Amino acid sequence: MSTNLTIPPSIMRQYEQLYNLAEYQTQDDLLTAKQVAEFLHKDPAWLLRATYDGMCPFAFGSNKGVGRGTSCFHSLPFFFYMTQGNLFRAATDKDSLPELL
């Protein structure tokens, strides 16, 4: 068994999708619930319910009744949540960047 850690291609594709979502598909650095849900392969209603209930760690929202809920998905907290900030730390500290990325 190899002791070298390699990132599976499927994970690299998801990182690329996350980067493209945060870089090219935001409007004023905001994402829609539909965009985030599609990335997570979840139903947008599920994501909105979690946001309204305060259970979504990367979004803000409130539910004032049927059809009156509000939500906000900033790209920075979403990106940091998905990467746990590791890519940002590695990019700003080149000495800690793993050779496998």
Side-chain angles (χ1 to χ4, degrees), residues 32-76:
T32 65
K34 182 179 178 190
Q35 290 172 307
V36 174
E38 285 177 359
F39 177 80
L40 298 173
H41 302 284
K42 296 292 184 183
D43 180 27
W46 170 86
L47 179 62
L48 287 172
R49 174 56 46 211
T51 302
Y52 296 155
D53 291 343
M55 301 301 292
C56 185
F58 52 80
F60 305 97
S62 66
N63 190 5
K64 299 187 184 308
V66 176
R68 298 185 59 213
T70 60
S71 63
C72 183
F73 298 89
H74 288 277
S75 59
L76 179 66

Side-chain angles (χ1 to χ4, degrees), residues 78-98:
F78 177 64
F79 187 84
F80 267 30
Y81 179 80
M82 295 304 297
T83 64
Q84 298 298 299
N86 291 326
L87 292 178
F88 182 78
R89 284 192 296 276
T92 57
D93 182 8
K94 300 295 185 199
D95 295 331
S96 70
L97 184 63

Side-chain angles (χ1 to χ4, degrees), residues 9-25 39 79 87:
S10 62
I11 301 300
M12 291 304 294
R13 280 192 301 275
Q14 290 177 40
Y15 269 118
E16 289 172 11
Q17 291 170 352
L18 175 63
Y19 178 83
N20 288 334
L21 179 64
E23 179 65 17
Y24 302 115
Q25 297 180 34
F39 177 80
F79 187 84
L87 292 178

